[in-house]
Amino acid sequence: LQKQFGFEYQTLVDGEVILHLYNRGGIEQTASMLDGVFAFILLDTANRKVFLARDTYGVRPLFKVLTDDGFLGVCSEAKGLINLKHSTSLCPKVEPFLPGHYEVLDLKPSGKVASVELVKFHSCKDEPLHAACDTVETLPPGFDLETVKSNIRMLFENAVKKRLMAHRRIGCLLSGGLDSSLVAAVLLKLMKEINISYPLQTFAIGMENSPDLLAARKVAAHIGSEHHEVIFNSEEGIQAIEEVIFSLETYDITTVRASIGMYLVSKYIRKKTDSVVIFSGEGSDELTQGYIYFHKAPSPEEAAEESERLLKELYLFDVLRADRTTAAHGLELRVPFLDHRFTSYYLSLPAELRIPKNGIEKYLLRQSFEDSNLLPKEILWRPKEAFSDGIASVKKSWFSILQDYIDQQVDDLLLEKAAEKYPFNPPKTKESYYYRQIFEKHYPGQGNWLPHHWMPRWVKATDPSARTLKHYKSATQE
């Protein structure tokens, strides 16, 4: 953008570009031209306006509170806004600011504000406005398989490449699943190409002999990263639950389960290494239909719709987990799968191309990298393993360990009366009740921060874990 528009920067702060863009073309252009992740509040005192904006997928967090009498508070965490002592008698509502939107507010002489409009500036299917300044040339059109595969590779590599701008050391989370493995492999290849002087550190977490640890070890050996393994036991996992829920500000079952491993690995990275900018594979499952329940989609069109719904809700689930567990330890998360150009291209492909094939989810993504030798074949075609399960041993899933422990903590009677105590999103299992109790202890009466629990579609699921789904059982029993 600096080159494109000839901006003269006075600092090295990446946020400075926002002021120049705004000065040049107003808020709509500012939000639309930012290729990356952001949440900002901009004060234009000359024109008495206040603006709020957040990136397309809400990778960066932003919460706001606006009282009836025009008092505005914004914070990157909801917890910063709940105890604001203010003159209003009513308890004002703290809500997440919607991703992909900007808001215009009038600034009154008294310092109070009034909302003027909330505008959606980017939808995940549309090619972003900043594509015009991109270094990737125009993509060859057409949907023949070879063209599509080559475009996917090119856009994905570019997504990783542009995220290499960093003053601090870059590292990468590596679960040994397809997504984080692709990120790590492409990242290492590009770091070599631009002669980054230090080795890439990759980080895997799991219990002794978990499938993820073994797979991650294979990938690290194949790509040649400096690999770190963080082994935790069930006690350490259980002990972290409360801290994790406090950091996350949610009681969603699958989010809490999956966050524990990510929280512990982030803690390790912060304490034991100097890697600060952390790459991760978030967003791929939503974009490329990686969840096992996609095998049950009634039609390619419905699968495509579901994919978009998941992307829109990322800020409540996976992206919230990834941001909060890393930021809690001062790490900066980067998620190339959610690159605007990459996602808008992937979503523009015909629905039939994107569905699971031959019993394998993310078939198109795997196929695109088949001849690249970036990853061992058995990793490239490794079936989906939910993060909260892959970190446990095969004998016993992490969610079963949690449930056995919680079973002792929550009385049957409490669960029976759960709907009376928590009429909004009432817990249906002891595990759900246990998380909700901890959440309410820290954030009493804020249950509406989570509009609904994350659950698979098209299957009669009572638990969000992939390991409880029929397809998973048949896949692992063969």
Side-chain angles (χ1 to χ4, degrees):
L1 290 168
Q2 184 178 18
K3 281 193 196 107
Q4 180 90 0
F5 300 122
F7 294 149
E8 286 182 29
Y9 291 164
Q10 291 163 28
T11 70
L12 294 172
V13 179
D14 54 4
E16 186 184 335
V17 69
I18 295 170
L19 298 171
H20 296 280
L21 279 172
Y22 174 70
N23 194 27
R24 189 184 170 277
I27 188 66
E28 172 113 35
Q29 197 190 37
T30 303
S32 306
M33 289 305 276
L34 292 174
D35 180 7
V37 293
F38 59 86
F40 67 78
I41 174 164
L42 191 150
L43 208 54
D44 179 348
T45 46
N47 295 302
R48 307 217 63 83
K49 293 274 185 246
V50 177
F51 302 98
L52 294 173
R54 189 175 183 192
D55 66 74
T56 302
Y57 297 109
V59 176
R60 291 290 177 258
L62 181 60
F63 292 87
K64 72 166 219 185
V65 68
L66 182 57
T67 64
D68 297 341
D69 64 346
F71 170 84
L72 173 70
V74 286
C75 191
S76 57
E77 291 182 275
K79 59 176 76 69
L81 298 171
I82 44 178
N83 298 320
L84 285 179
K85 298 284 175 276
H86 185 61
S87 58
T88 50
S89 49
L90 287 171
C91 201
K93 203 169 149 209
V94 175
E95 23 188 27
F97 189 81
L98 281 177
H101 286 70
Y102 67 80
E103 186 172 14
V104 184
L105 302 110
D106 277 334
L107 181 58
K108 307 218 162 83
S110 62
K112 300 288 177 67
V113 299
S115 180
V116 179
E117 59 174 347
L118 181 69
V119 179
K120 184 173 186 176
F121 66 85
H122 184 226
S123 169
C124 49
K125 281 171 85 167
D126 303 335
E127 186 172 74
L129 196 62
H130 55 68
C133 318
D134 209 326
T135 48
V136 171
E137 61 274 24
T138 321
L139 298 176
F143 295 127
D144 68 280
L145 197 55
E146 286 315 307
T147 303
V148 167
K149 284 174 6 183
S150 135
N151 287 347
I152 287 174
R153 283 195 306 274
M154 181 161 65
L155 286 174
F156 184 67
E157 188 164 309
N158 187 53
V160 176
K161 192 186 226 158
K162 55 172 104 146
R163 283 164 179 75
L164 284 171
M165 277 197 248
H167 295 299
R168 311 290 292 275
R169 182 169 182 162
I170 291 169
C172 189
L173 297 179
L174 178 59
S175 71
L178 175 69
D179 311 325
S180 63
S181 301
L182 269 179
V183 172
V186 172
L187 180 57
L188 197 104
K189 172 181 167 244
L190 292 170
M191 282 169 75
K192 276 188 186 144
E193 282 173 19
I194 59 170
N195 294 324
I196 285 184
S197 56
Y198 53 81
L200 173 68
Q201 293 180 328
T202 48
F203 303 96
I205 184 160
M207 295 176 161
E208 290 283 359
N209 298 324
S210 71
D212 276 5
L213 282 183
L214 302 173
R217 216 173 281 166
K218 257 184 212 159
V219 175
H222 183 87
I223 65 175
S225 62
E226 181 194 300
H227 191 54
H228 297 240
E229 289 183 358
V230 182
I231 313 268
F232 76 105
N233 58 34
S234 45
E235 203 173 301
E236 289 168 304
I238 285 161
Q239 271 178 348
I241 295 174
E242 181 149 355
E243 266 176 74
V244 166
I245 291 175
F246 177 70
S247 285
L248 290 174
E249 305 176 328
T250 186
Y251 50 91
D252 178 60
I253 306 160
T254 188
T255 305
V256 174
R257 281 178 191 168
S259 293
I260 292 167
M262 202 159 174
Y263 186 84
L264 294 172
V265 77
S266 299
K267 196 177 195 167
Y268 168 92
I269 296 171
R270 181 59 199 248
K271 276 190 169 156
K272 301 275 199 278
T273 77
D274 57 349
S275 286
V276 178
V277 173
I278 304 298
F279 279 68
S280 183
E282 264 69 41
S284 172
D285 284 323
E286 290 76 7
L287 177 68
T288 66
Q289 304 184 12
Y291 293 115
I292 288 178
Y293 70 86
F294 272 98
H295 290 284
K296 301 275 189 279
S299 69
E301 289 66 36
E302 277 185 69
E305 265 171 47
E306 173 67 357
S307 185
E308 278 170 56
R309 180 188 75 85
L310 288 169
L311 285 166
K312 281 194 190 102
E313 291 191 346
L314 266 170
Y315 75 105
L316 296 166
F317 301 109
D318 276 27
V319 151
L320 177 135
R321 159 178 60 77
D323 168 74
R324 240 40 84 74
T325 52
T326 49
H329 301 287
L331 305 176
E332 184 191 327
L333 183 81
R334 300 208 175 164
V335 282
F337 273 106
L338 291 174
D339 180 77
H340 304 155
R341 289 235 29 210
F342 183 70
T343 53
S344 64
Y345 177 73
Y346 209 95
L347 294 171
S348 74
L349 298 170
E352 302 75 59
L353 273 183
R354 294 183 271 148
I355 54 171
K357 291 204 174 60
N358 309 341
I360 297 172
E361 57 290 332
K362 300 191 245 201
Y363 195 83
L364 177 62
L365 182 65
R366 297 172 198 270
Q367 237 186 336
S368 301
F369 288 93
E370 171 111 87
D371 304 323
S372 65
N373 193 31
L374 280 169
L375 293 173
K377 288 279 185 279
E378 71 268 30
I379 297 291
L380 188 62
W381 295 96
R382 182 187 176 202
K384 166 79 185 152
E385 178 78 87
F387 181 55
S388 54
D389 299 333
I391 58 173
S393 72
V394 180
K395 291 191 207 77
K396 192 161 191 189
S397 276
W398 172 227
F399 78 91
S400 320
I401 294 167
L402 282 169
Q403 285 167 348
D404 288 353
Y405 166 76
I406 289 166
D407 218 28
Q408 309 300 307
Q409 310 298 312
V410 177
D411 201 278
D412 293 354
L413 199 64
L414 284 175
L415 189 60
E416 279 169 38
K417 296 208 156 98
E420 290 167 41
K421 192 171 182 184
Y422 305 121
F424 183 81
N425 270 346
K428 296 200 170 41
T429 62
K430 285 189 175 184
E431 183 185 9
S432 175
Y433 189 94
Y434 185 72
Y435 298 157
R436 181 66 174 268
Q437 241 179 338
I438 295 174
F439 174 86
E440 295 282 344
K441 175 179 143 187
H442 293 289
Y443 310 111
Q446 304 289 354
N448 60 345
W449 286 351
L450 176 70
H452 58 88
H453 282 94
W454 192 98
M455 279 288 175
R457 296 281 288 275
W458 311 306
V459 284
K460 289 188 173 63
T462 50
D463 189 284
S465 167
R467 282 200 182 178
T468 60
L469 298 184
K470 261 204 192 80
H471 172 87
Y472 188 86
K473 289 187 179 130
S474 63
T476 49
Q477 278 160 3
E478 277 161 22

